[in-house]
Amino acid sequence: MEIISLCYFFLPAAFANMAPVIGKEILKPLAKPIDFGFKYKKEALFGSHKTWRGLLLASLTGIIIIYIQRLLYSFAFFRDLSVIDYANHPNLLLLGFLLGFGAIIGDLIKSFFKRRVNIKPGKPWIPYDQIDYSIGAVLFSWILFPWTLTQAFIVVATFALLHIIINH
């Protein structure tokens, strides 16, 4: 049951990772590259597809999903599934933000290194494409959720496997 509970807890990060792709048709004025077109050794820092819109959507998605989890916490099924007390957590919305923001920052850091090894945007970089957002979300949320190394490994491995299954 711990794997399912950890996956449920991690949903704000998982949805945040998908938010920039799903929301690419909204907030068009924010569709500006995060790196402002700056280059490092003649290569874009992150690439034109890493935008302020994506950063905002991912961060807001983390907050929205954790708020939904808070609403669902009133049902016994979700209470039993939860690894935190969504009703009384003192920094719940901050935790949702950290999961969403951490997911997108993990993706940005991976993109920086992907450009350094000359892999073009959209081209696969296995296993980093599968683990970037989950590592970022775990690290950022560690401030408010004391992950054990085992829990962190379970989440990263599970969501990497889910990423592969969903994309095929």
Side-chain angles (χ1 to χ4, degrees), residues 83-146:
V83 296
I84 64 169
D85 181 348
Y86 288 92
N88 297 306
H89 194 285
N91 296 304
L92 190 66
L93 296 182
L94 177 59
L95 181 58
F97 170 79
L98 290 171
L99 285 162
F101 184 75
I104 205 71
I105 294 299
D107 182 64
L108 276 174
I109 291 169
K110 183 258 333 221
S111 290
F112 175 82
F113 288 106
K114 195 173 181 179
R115 299 296 85 78
R116 304 296 72 79
V117 295
N118 294 318
I119 297 173
K120 299 298 176 202
K123 296 293 182 191
W125 196 29
I126 300 169
Y128 308 106
D129 290 329
Q130 291 73 34
I131 63 173
D132 56 352
Y133 80 94
S134 55
I135 291 173
V138 165
L139 291 175
F140 273 79
S141 65
W142 214 310
I143 297 166
L144 296 177
F145 182 76

Short mmCIF file of all heavy atoms in Angstrom, two decimals, residues 83-146:
data_model
loop_
_atom_site.label_atom_id
_atom_site.label_comp_id
_atom_site.label_asym_id
_atom_site.label_seq_id
_atom_site.Cartn_x
_atom_site.Cartn_y
_atom_site.Cartn_z
N VAL A 83 -0.54 9.93 3.01
CA VAL A 83 0.65 9.88 3.86
C VAL A 83 0.81 11.15 4.69
O VAL A 83 1.70 11.22 5.54
CB VAL A 83 1.95 9.61 3.05
CG1 VAL A 83 1.91 8.23 2.39
CG2 VAL A 83 2.20 10.69 2.03
N ILE A 84 -0.03 12.16 4.42
CA ILE A 84 -0.05 13.38 5.22
C ILE A 84 -1.50 13.70 5.59
O ILE A 84 -2.43 13.19 4.98
CB ILE A 84 0.58 14.60 4.50
CG1 ILE A 84 -0.22 14.97 3.26
CG2 ILE A 84 2.05 14.35 4.19
CD1 ILE A 84 0.17 16.30 2.63
N ASP A 85 -1.66 14.56 6.57
CA ASP A 85 -2.98 15.03 6.98
C ASP A 85 -3.31 16.27 6.16
O ASP A 85 -2.89 17.38 6.48
CB ASP A 85 -2.97 15.35 8.48
CG ASP A 85 -4.32 15.83 8.99
OD1 ASP A 85 -5.21 16.14 8.18
OD2 ASP A 85 -4.46 15.90 10.23
N TYR A 86 -4.06 16.07 5.07
CA TYR A 86 -4.37 17.17 4.17
C TYR A 86 -5.26 18.22 4.83
O TYR A 86 -5.22 19.39 4.45
CB TYR A 86 -5.05 16.65 2.90
CG TYR A 86 -4.11 15.92 1.97
CD1 TYR A 86 -3.94 14.55 2.07
CD2 TYR A 86 -3.39 16.61 1.02
CE1 TYR A 86 -3.08 13.87 1.22
CE2 TYR A 86 -2.52 15.95 0.17
CZ TYR A 86 -2.37 14.59 0.27
OH TYR A 86 -1.50 13.93 -0.57
N ALA A 87 -6.06 17.82 5.81
CA ALA A 87 -6.97 18.77 6.46
C ALA A 87 -6.25 19.72 7.39
O ALA A 87 -6.68 20.86 7.58
CB ALA A 87 -8.05 18.00 7.22
N ASN A 88 -5.16 19.28 8.00
CA ASN A 88 -4.50 20.09 9.02
C ASN A 88 -3.05 20.43 8.74
O ASN A 88 -2.37 20.97 9.60
CB ASN A 88 -4.60 19.37 10.38
CG ASN A 88 -6.03 19.21 10.82
OD1 ASN A 88 -6.77 20.18 10.89
ND2 ASN A 88 -6.44 17.97 11.07
N HIS A 89 -2.57 20.13 7.56
CA HIS A 89 -1.17 20.44 7.24
C HIS A 89 -1.00 21.95 7.23
O HIS A 89 -1.73 22.66 6.53
CB HIS A 89 -0.79 19.85 5.88
CG HIS A 89 0.68 19.83 5.63
ND1 HIS A 89 1.39 20.96 5.32
CD2 HIS A 89 1.58 18.81 5.67
CE1 HIS A 89 2.66 20.64 5.15
NE2 HIS A 89 2.80 19.35 5.36
N PRO A 90 -0.03 22.48 7.99
CA PRO A 90 0.10 23.94 8.11
C PRO A 90 0.58 24.65 6.85
O PRO A 90 0.37 25.84 6.69
CB PRO A 90 1.11 24.11 9.25
CG PRO A 90 1.90 22.84 9.24
CD PRO A 90 0.94 21.76 8.81
N ASN A 91 1.22 23.92 5.94
CA ASN A 91 1.78 24.54 4.73
C ASN A 91 1.37 23.77 3.49
O ASN A 91 2.17 23.56 2.59
CB ASN A 91 3.31 24.57 4.82
CG ASN A 91 3.79 25.44 5.95
OD1 ASN A 91 3.46 26.61 6.02
ND2 ASN A 91 4.56 24.86 6.86
N LEU A 92 0.11 23.37 3.43
CA LEU A 92 -0.34 22.49 2.36
C LEU A 92 -0.18 23.12 0.97
O LEU A 92 0.34 22.48 0.06
CB LEU A 92 -1.80 22.10 2.58
CG LEU A 92 -2.31 21.01 1.66
CD1 LEU A 92 -1.58 19.69 1.94
CD2 LEU A 92 -3.80 20.82 1.83
N LEU A 93 -0.61 24.36 0.82
CA LEU A 93 -0.51 24.99 -0.51
C LEU A 93 0.95 25.21 -0.90
O LEU A 93 1.31 25.07 -2.07
CB LEU A 93 -1.31 26.29 -0.55
CG LEU A 93 -2.82 26.09 -0.37
CD1 LEU A 93 -3.55 27.43 -0.48
CD2 LEU A 93 -3.39 25.09 -1.35
N LEU A 94 1.79 25.52 0.07
CA LEU A 94 3.23 25.64 -0.21
C LEU A 94 3.79 24.29 -0.65
O LEU A 94 4.60 24.23 -1.57
CB LEU A 94 3.98 26.18 1.01
CG LEU A 94 5.50 26.30 0.86
CD1 LEU A 94 5.88 27.20 -0.31
CD2 LEU A 94 6.12 26.78 2.16
N LEU A 95 3.35 23.22 -0.01
CA LEU A 95 3.79 21.89 -0.41
C LEU A 95 3.38 21.59 -1.85
O LEU A 95 4.17 21.07 -2.64
CB LEU A 95 3.23 20.83 0.55
CG LEU A 95 3.62 19.38 0.27
CD1 LEU A 95 5.14 19.19 0.27
CD2 LEU A 95 2.96 18.47 1.30
N GLY A 96 2.15 21.94 -2.21
CA GLY A 96 1.70 21.75 -3.60
C GLY A 96 2.55 22.56 -4.56
O GLY A 96 2.93 22.07 -5.63
N PHE A 97 2.85 23.80 -4.18
CA PHE A 97 3.71 24.64 -5.01
C PHE A 97 5.09 24.00 -5.17
O PHE A 97 5.63 23.93 -6.28
CB PHE A 97 3.85 26.04 -4.40
CG PHE A 97 4.91 26.88 -5.08
CD1 PHE A 97 4.65 27.50 -6.28
CD2 PHE A 97 6.17 27.00 -4.51
CE1 PHE A 97 5.63 28.25 -6.93
CE2 PHE A 97 7.15 27.75 -5.14
CZ PHE A 97 6.88 28.37 -6.35
N LEU A 98 5.67 23.54 -4.07
CA LEU A 98 7.02 22.96 -4.13
C LEU A 98 7.05 21.69 -4.98
O LEU A 98 8.02 21.46 -5.71
CB LEU A 98 7.52 22.65 -2.72
CG LEU A 98 7.84 23.88 -1.86
CD1 LEU A 98 8.12 23.46 -0.42
CD2 LEU A 98 9.01 24.67 -2.43
N LEU A 99 6.01 20.88 -4.92
CA LEU A 99 5.95 19.69 -5.78
C LEU A 99 5.86 20.09 -7.25
O LEU A 99 6.57 19.53 -8.10
CB LEU A 99 4.77 18.81 -5.38
CG LEU A 99 4.95 18.00 -4.09
CD1 LEU A 99 3.61 17.52 -3.56
CD2 LEU A 99 5.90 16.84 -4.33
N GLY A 100 5.00 21.06 -7.57
CA GLY A 100 4.85 21.50 -8.96
C GLY A 100 6.06 22.25 -9.47
O GLY A 100 6.58 21.97 -10.56
N PHE A 101 6.54 23.20 -8.69
CA PHE A 101 7.71 23.99 -9.06
C PHE A 101 8.95 23.11 -9.16
O PHE A 101 9.73 23.22 -10.11
CB PHE A 101 7.92 25.11 -8.03
CG PHE A 101 9.03 26.05 -8.35
CD1 PHE A 101 8.87 27.02 -9.34
CD2 PHE A 101 10.23 26.00 -7.66
CE1 PHE A 101 9.90 27.91 -9.63
CE2 PHE A 101 11.26 26.88 -7.94
CZ PHE A 101 11.09 27.84 -8.93
N GLY A 102 9.11 22.21 -8.20
CA GLY A 102 10.25 21.29 -8.22
C GLY A 102 10.25 20.41 -9.45
O GLY A 102 11.31 20.14 -10.04
N ALA A 103 9.06 19.96 -9.87
CA ALA A 103 8.96 19.12 -11.07
C ALA A 103 9.46 19.88 -12.29
O ALA A 103 10.25 19.35 -13.08
CB ALA A 103 7.51 18.66 -11.27
N ILE A 104 9.04 21.12 -12.43
CA ILE A 104 9.42 21.88 -13.63
C ILE A 104 10.90 22.30 -13.57
O ILE A 104 11.58 22.35 -14.59
CB ILE A 104 8.46 23.07 -13.88
CG1 ILE A 104 8.45 23.45 -15.36
CG2 ILE A 104 8.79 24.25 -13.03
CD1 ILE A 104 7.78 22.46 -16.25
N ILE A 105 11.40 22.58 -12.37
CA ILE A 105 12.82 22.92 -12.24
C ILE A 105 13.69 21.70 -12.55
O ILE A 105 14.74 21.82 -13.19
CB ILE A 105 13.12 23.50 -10.83
CG1 ILE A 105 12.41 24.85 -10.64
CG2 ILE A 105 14.63 23.63 -10.61
CD1 ILE A 105 12.82 25.94 -11.62
N GLY A 106 13.26 20.52 -12.12
CA GLY A 106 13.99 19.30 -12.47
C GLY A 106 14.07 19.13 -13.98
O GLY A 106 15.12 18.78 -14.52
N ASP A 107 12.98 19.42 -14.66
CA ASP A 107 12.94 19.34 -16.12
C ASP A 107 13.87 20.40 -16.74
O ASP A 107 14.58 20.12 -17.71
CB ASP A 107 11.51 19.53 -16.61
CG ASP A 107 11.41 19.40 -18.11
OD1 ASP A 107 11.67 18.30 -18.64
OD2 ASP A 107 11.07 20.41 -18.78
N LEU A 108 13.87 21.60 -16.18
CA LEU A 108 14.75 22.67 -16.70
C LEU A 108 16.23 22.30 -16.55
O LEU A 108 17.02 22.51 -17.47
CB LEU A 108 14.50 23.97 -15.94
CG LEU A 108 13.35 24.83 -16.43
CD1 LEU A 108 13.14 26.00 -15.48
CD2 LEU A 108 13.60 25.32 -17.83
N ILE A 109 16.59 21.78 -15.40
CA ILE A 109 17.99 21.40 -15.17
C ILE A 109 18.41 20.31 -16.15
O ILE A 109 19.49 20.36 -16.74
CB ILE A 109 18.20 20.97 -13.70
CG1 ILE A 109 18.05 22.20 -12.79
CG2 ILE A 109 19.56 20.32 -13.51
CD1 ILE A 109 17.98 21.88 -11.32
N LYS A 110 17.51 19.33 -16.35
CA LYS A 110 17.81 18.29 -17.33
C LYS A 110 17.99 18.88 -18.72
O LYS A 110 18.91 18.52 -19.46
CB LYS A 110 16.70 17.24 -17.34
CG LYS A 110 16.92 16.06 -18.25
CD LYS A 110 16.17 16.05 -19.58
CE LYS A 110 14.91 16.78 -19.60
NZ LYS A 110 13.76 16.28 -20.26
N SER A 111 17.14 19.85 -19.08
CA SER A 111 17.23 20.48 -20.40
C SER A 111 18.55 21.22 -20.57
O SER A 111 19.14 21.21 -21.65
CB SER A 111 16.07 21.46 -20.61
OG SER A 111 14.88 20.75 -20.75
N PHE A 112 19.02 21.86 -19.51
CA PHE A 112 20.31 22.54 -19.57
C PHE A 112 21.41 21.55 -19.95
O PHE A 112 22.19 21.79 -20.86
CB PHE A 112 20.63 23.21 -18.23
CG PHE A 112 21.99 23.83 -18.19
CD1 PHE A 112 22.21 25.09 -18.74
CD2 PHE A 112 23.07 23.16 -17.63
CE1 PHE A 112 23.48 25.66 -18.72
CE2 PHE A 112 24.34 23.72 -17.62
CZ PHE A 112 24.55 24.98 -18.16
N PHE A 113 21.44 20.43 -19.27
CA PHE A 113 22.48 19.44 -19.55
C PHE A 113 22.26 18.73 -20.89
O PHE A 113 23.22 18.37 -21.58
CB PHE A 113 22.60 18.44 -18.40
CG PHE A 113 23.22 19.05 -17.18
CD1 PHE A 113 22.46 19.36 -16.08
CD2 PHE A 113 24.58 19.34 -17.15
CE1 PHE A 113 23.02 19.95 -14.95
CE2 PHE A 113 25.16 19.92 -16.04
CZ PHE A 113 24.38 20.23 -14.94
N LYS A 114 21.00 18.57 -21.26
CA LYS A 114 20.69 17.96 -22.56
C LYS A 114 21.27 18.82 -23.69
O LYS A 114 21.79 18.29 -24.67
CB LYS A 114 19.17 17.84 -22.69
CG LYS A 114 18.68 16.94 -23.78
CD LYS A 114 17.16 16.77 -23.67
CE LYS A 114 16.63 15.87 -24.73
NZ LYS A 114 15.17 15.70 -24.62
N ARG A 115 21.14 20.13 -23.57
CA ARG A 115 21.72 21.04 -24.58
C ARG A 115 23.25 20.93 -24.58
O ARG A 115 23.89 21.03 -25.61
CB ARG A 115 21.35 22.50 -24.31
CG ARG A 115 19.87 22.86 -24.33
CD ARG A 115 19.18 22.67 -25.66
NE ARG A 115 18.70 21.34 -25.91
CZ ARG A 115 17.58 20.80 -25.40
NH1 ARG A 115 16.83 21.47 -24.60
NH2 ARG A 115 17.23 19.58 -25.70
N ARG A 116 23.86 20.72 -23.42
CA ARG A 116 25.32 20.66 -23.34
C ARG A 116 25.87 19.43 -24.05
O ARG A 116 27.01 19.43 -24.50
CB ARG A 116 25.82 20.64 -21.88
CG ARG A 116 25.38 21.80 -20.98
CD ARG A 116 25.85 23.20 -21.31
NE ARG A 116 25.30 23.86 -22.46
CZ ARG A 116 24.10 24.47 -22.54
NH1 ARG A 116 23.28 24.48 -21.54
NH2 ARG A 116 23.72 25.06 -23.66
N VAL A 117 25.09 18.35 -24.09
CA VAL A 117 25.56 17.14 -24.78
C VAL A 117 24.97 17.04 -26.18
O VAL A 117 24.97 15.96 -26.79
CB VAL A 117 25.28 15.86 -23.95
CG1 VAL A 117 26.08 15.86 -22.66
CG2 VAL A 117 23.81 15.67 -23.67
N ASN A 118 24.47 18.19 -26.69
CA ASN A 118 23.99 18.32 -28.07
C ASN A 118 22.83 17.39 -28.44
O ASN A 118 22.77 16.88 -29.56
CB ASN A 118 25.15 18.12 -29.06
CG ASN A 118 26.15 19.23 -28.95
OD1 ASN A 118 25.78 20.39 -28.83
ND2 ASN A 118 27.42 18.88 -28.96
N ILE A 119 21.92 17.20 -27.50
CA ILE A 119 20.69 16.48 -27.82
C ILE A 119 19.62 17.53 -28.08
O ILE A 119 19.38 18.40 -27.25
CB ILE A 119 20.28 15.52 -26.68
CG1 ILE A 119 21.38 14.46 -26.51
CG2 ILE A 119 18.93 14.87 -27.00
CD1 ILE A 119 21.16 13.56 -25.32
N LYS A 120 19.01 17.47 -29.22
CA LYS A 120 18.03 18.47 -29.64
C LYS A 120 16.73 18.34 -28.86
O LYS A 120 16.37 17.24 -28.43
CB LYS A 120 17.75 18.36 -31.15
CG LYS A 120 18.99 18.59 -32.00
CD LYS A 120 19.54 19.99 -31.78
CE LYS A 120 20.83 20.21 -32.54
NZ LYS A 120 21.63 21.28 -32.00
N PRO A 121 16.00 19.45 -28.71
CA PRO A 121 14.70 19.40 -28.03
C PRO A 121 13.77 18.38 -28.69
O PRO A 121 13.72 18.26 -29.91
CB PRO A 121 14.15 20.82 -28.23
CG PRO A 121 15.35 21.68 -28.42
CD PRO A 121 16.34 20.81 -29.15
N GLY A 122 13.09 17.63 -27.84
CA GLY A 122 12.16 16.62 -28.34
C GLY A 122 12.79 15.26 -28.59
O GLY A 122 12.10 14.27 -28.72
N LYS A 123 14.11 15.21 -28.66
CA LYS A 123 14.79 13.94 -28.86
C LYS A 123 14.96 13.26 -27.50
O LYS A 123 15.15 13.91 -26.48
CB LYS A 123 16.18 14.14 -29.50
CG LYS A 123 16.11 14.72 -30.89
CD LYS A 123 15.47 13.74 -31.84
CE LYS A 123 15.45 14.32 -33.25
NZ LYS A 123 14.63 13.53 -34.14
N PRO A 124 14.86 11.93 -27.46
CA PRO A 124 14.94 11.23 -26.17
C PRO A 124 16.33 11.28 -25.55
O PRO A 124 17.34 11.30 -26.24
CB PRO A 124 14.56 9.78 -26.53
CG PRO A 124 14.80 9.66 -27.99
CD PRO A 124 14.63 11.03 -28.59
N TRP A 125 16.32 11.30 -24.23
CA TRP A 125 17.56 11.21 -23.44
C TRP A 125 17.25 10.32 -22.25
O TRP A 125 16.90 10.77 -21.17
CB TRP A 125 18.03 12.60 -23.02
CG TRP A 125 19.46 12.63 -22.56
CD1 TRP A 125 20.48 11.82 -22.95
CD2 TRP A 125 20.04 13.54 -21.63
NE1 TRP A 125 21.65 12.16 -22.34
CE2 TRP A 125 21.41 13.23 -21.51
CE3 TRP A 125 19.55 14.60 -20.88
CZ2 TRP A 125 22.28 13.91 -20.67
CZ3 TRP A 125 20.40 15.29 -20.05
CH2 TRP A 125 21.76 14.95 -19.94
N ILE A 126 17.37 9.04 -22.49
CA ILE A 126 17.02 8.03 -21.50
C ILE A 126 18.20 7.81 -20.56
O ILE A 126 19.33 7.72 -21.01
CB ILE A 126 16.64 6.71 -22.23
CG1 ILE A 126 15.44 6.98 -23.14
CG2 ILE A 126 16.34 5.60 -21.25
CD1 ILE A 126 15.12 5.86 -24.09
N PRO A 127 18.02 7.73 -19.26
CA PRO A 127 16.78 7.72 -18.48
C PRO A 127 16.38 9.10 -17.94
O PRO A 127 15.41 9.22 -17.21
CB PRO A 127 17.12 6.80 -17.32
CG PRO A 127 18.55 7.14 -17.02
CD PRO A 127 19.17 7.40 -18.39
N TYR A 128 17.11 10.12 -18.32
CA TYR A 128 16.92 11.44 -17.70
C TYR A 128 15.55 12.05 -17.99
O TYR A 128 14.97 12.72 -17.13
CB TYR A 128 18.05 12.39 -18.09
CG TYR A 128 19.39 11.77 -17.81
CD1 TYR A 128 20.19 11.29 -18.85
CD2 TYR A 128 19.84 11.59 -16.51
CE1 TYR A 128 21.40 10.68 -18.59
CE2 TYR A 128 21.06 10.98 -16.24
CZ TYR A 128 21.83 10.53 -17.29
OH TYR A 128 23.02 9.91 -17.03
N ASP A 129 15.01 11.80 -19.18
CA ASP A 129 13.68 12.30 -19.51
C ASP A 129 12.62 11.69 -18.58
O ASP A 129 11.57 12.28 -18.37
CB ASP A 129 13.31 11.97 -20.96
CG ASP A 129 14.11 12.76 -21.97
OD1 ASP A 129 14.49 13.91 -21.66
OD2 ASP A 129 14.35 12.23 -23.07
N GLN A 130 12.88 10.51 -18.06
CA GLN A 130 11.92 9.81 -17.22
C GLN A 130 12.03 10.16 -15.73
O GLN A 130 11.09 9.94 -14.98
CB GLN A 130 12.08 8.29 -17.38
CG GLN A 130 11.67 7.76 -18.73
CD GLN A 130 12.64 8.10 -19.86
OE1 GLN A 130 13.85 8.17 -19.67
NE2 GLN A 130 12.11 8.32 -21.05
N ILE A 131 13.17 10.69 -15.31
CA ILE A 131 13.37 10.90 -13.87
C ILE A 131 13.57 12.36 -13.47
O ILE A 131 13.57 12.68 -12.28
CB ILE A 131 14.57 10.07 -13.34
CG1 ILE A 131 15.88 10.50 -14.00
CG2 ILE A 131 14.30 8.58 -13.53
CD1 ILE A 131 17.13 9.85 -13.44
N ASP A 132 13.71 13.25 -14.43
CA ASP A 132 14.05 14.64 -14.11
C ASP A 132 13.04 15.33 -13.21
O ASP A 132 13.40 15.90 -12.17
CB ASP A 132 14.24 15.44 -15.41
CG ASP A 132 13.03 15.41 -16.33
OD1 ASP A 132 12.07 14.64 -16.07
OD2 ASP A 132 13.05 16.15 -17.33
N TYR A 133 11.78 15.28 -13.58
CA TYR A 133 10.78 16.01 -12.81
C TYR A 133 10.56 15.40 -11.43
O TYR A 133 10.32 16.11 -10.46
CB TYR A 133 9.46 16.12 -13.58
CG TYR A 133 8.60 14.89 -13.54
CD1 TYR A 133 7.59 14.77 -12.58
CD2 TYR A 133 8.78 13.85 -14.44
CE1 TYR A 133 6.78 13.64 -12.54
CE2 TYR A 133 7.99 12.73 -14.41
CZ TYR A 133 6.99 12.63 -13.46
OH TYR A 133 6.21 11.51 -13.42
N SER A 134 10.63 14.07 -11.34
CA SER A 134 10.38 13.45 -10.04
C SER A 134 11.52 13.73 -9.06
O SER A 134 11.27 13.98 -7.88
CB SER A 134 10.11 11.94 -10.17
OG SER A 134 11.14 11.29 -10.85
N ILE A 135 12.75 13.75 -9.55
CA ILE A 135 13.87 14.11 -8.67
C ILE A 135 13.74 15.56 -8.22
O ILE A 135 13.91 15.87 -7.04
CB ILE A 135 15.22 13.85 -9.37
CG1 ILE A 135 15.44 12.34 -9.53
CG2 ILE A 135 16.37 14.48 -8.58
CD1 ILE A 135 16.66 11.97 -10.33
N GLY A 136 13.41 16.46 -9.14
CA GLY A 136 13.22 17.86 -8.78
C GLY A 136 12.13 18.04 -7.75
O GLY A 136 12.28 18.77 -6.76
N ALA A 137 10.99 17.38 -7.94
CA ALA A 137 9.86 17.50 -7.01
C ALA A 137 10.21 16.93 -5.64
O ALA A 137 9.86 17.52 -4.61
CB ALA A 137 8.63 16.82 -7.58
N VAL A 138 10.89 15.80 -5.61
CA VAL A 138 11.30 15.21 -4.33
C VAL A 138 12.23 16.18 -3.59
O VAL A 138 12.05 16.46 -2.40
CB VAL A 138 11.97 13.83 -4.53
CG1 VAL A 138 12.72 13.39 -3.27
CG2 VAL A 138 10.94 12.78 -4.92
N LEU A 139 13.22 16.70 -4.30
CA LEU A 139 14.19 17.59 -3.64
C LEU A 139 13.55 18.87 -3.12
O LEU A 139 13.81 19.28 -1.99
CB LEU A 139 15.34 17.91 -4.60
CG LEU A 139 16.27 16.75 -4.93
CD1 LEU A 139 17.29 17.16 -5.98
CD2 LEU A 139 16.97 16.23 -3.68
N PHE A 140 12.70 19.50 -3.91
CA PHE A 140 12.06 20.74 -3.47
C PHE A 140 11.08 20.50 -2.33
O PHE A 140 10.99 21.29 -1.39
CB PHE A 140 11.38 21.46 -4.64
CG PHE A 140 12.30 22.36 -5.39
CD1 PHE A 140 13.20 21.85 -6.32
CD2 PHE A 140 12.29 23.72 -5.17
CE1 PHE A 140 14.06 22.67 -7.01
CE2 PHE A 140 13.14 24.57 -5.87
CZ PHE A 140 14.03 24.04 -6.79
N SER A 141 10.31 19.42 -2.41
CA SER A 141 9.30 19.16 -1.37
C SER A 141 9.91 18.64 -0.08
O SER A 141 9.24 18.63 0.96
CB SER A 141 8.25 18.18 -1.89
OG SER A 141 8.81 16.91 -2.14
N TRP A 142 11.16 18.24 -0.13
CA TRP A 142 11.85 17.71 1.06
C TRP A 142 11.82 18.74 2.20
O TRP A 142 11.88 18.38 3.37
CB TRP A 142 13.30 17.37 0.72
CG TRP A 142 13.86 16.19 1.46
CD1 TRP A 142 13.83 15.95 2.80
CD2 TRP A 142 14.55 15.09 0.89
NE1 TRP A 142 14.46 14.78 3.10
CE2 TRP A 142 14.91 14.22 1.93
CE3 TRP A 142 14.90 14.76 -0.41
CZ2 TRP A 142 15.60 13.04 1.72
CZ3 TRP A 142 15.60 13.59 -0.62
CH2 TRP A 142 15.94 12.73 0.43
N ILE A 143 11.68 19.99 1.86
CA ILE A 143 11.60 21.05 2.87
C ILE A 143 10.42 20.81 3.81
O ILE A 143 10.51 21.06 5.01
CB ILE A 143 11.45 22.43 2.17
CG1 ILE A 143 12.68 22.73 1.33
CG2 ILE A 143 11.16 23.54 3.17
CD1 ILE A 143 12.48 23.89 0.36
N LEU A 144 9.30 20.31 3.25
CA LEU A 144 8.08 20.13 4.05
C LEU A 144 7.66 18.67 4.24
O LEU A 144 6.80 18.38 5.06
CB LEU A 144 6.92 20.90 3.41
CG LEU A 144 7.06 22.41 3.37
CD1 LEU A 144 5.88 23.04 2.65
CD2 LEU A 144 7.19 22.97 4.78
N PHE A 145 8.22 17.78 3.46
CA PHE A 145 7.90 16.36 3.59
C PHE A 145 9.20 15.60 3.75
O PHE A 145 10.01 15.54 2.82
CB PHE A 145 7.13 15.84 2.37
CG PHE A 145 6.74 14.39 2.48
CD1 PHE A 145 5.69 14.01 3.30
CD2 PHE A 145 7.44 13.41 1.79
CE1 PHE A 145 5.33 12.67 3.42
CE2 PHE A 145 7.09 12.07 1.90
CZ PHE A 145 6.04 11.70 2.71
N PRO A 146 9.44 15.02 4.92
CA PRO A 146 10.72 14.36 5.17
C PRO A 146 10.84 12.99 4.49
O PRO A 146 10.68 11.95 5.12
CB PRO A 146 10.74 14.23 6.70
CG PRO A 146 9.29 14.14 7.08
CD PRO A 146 8.55 14.98 6.07
#
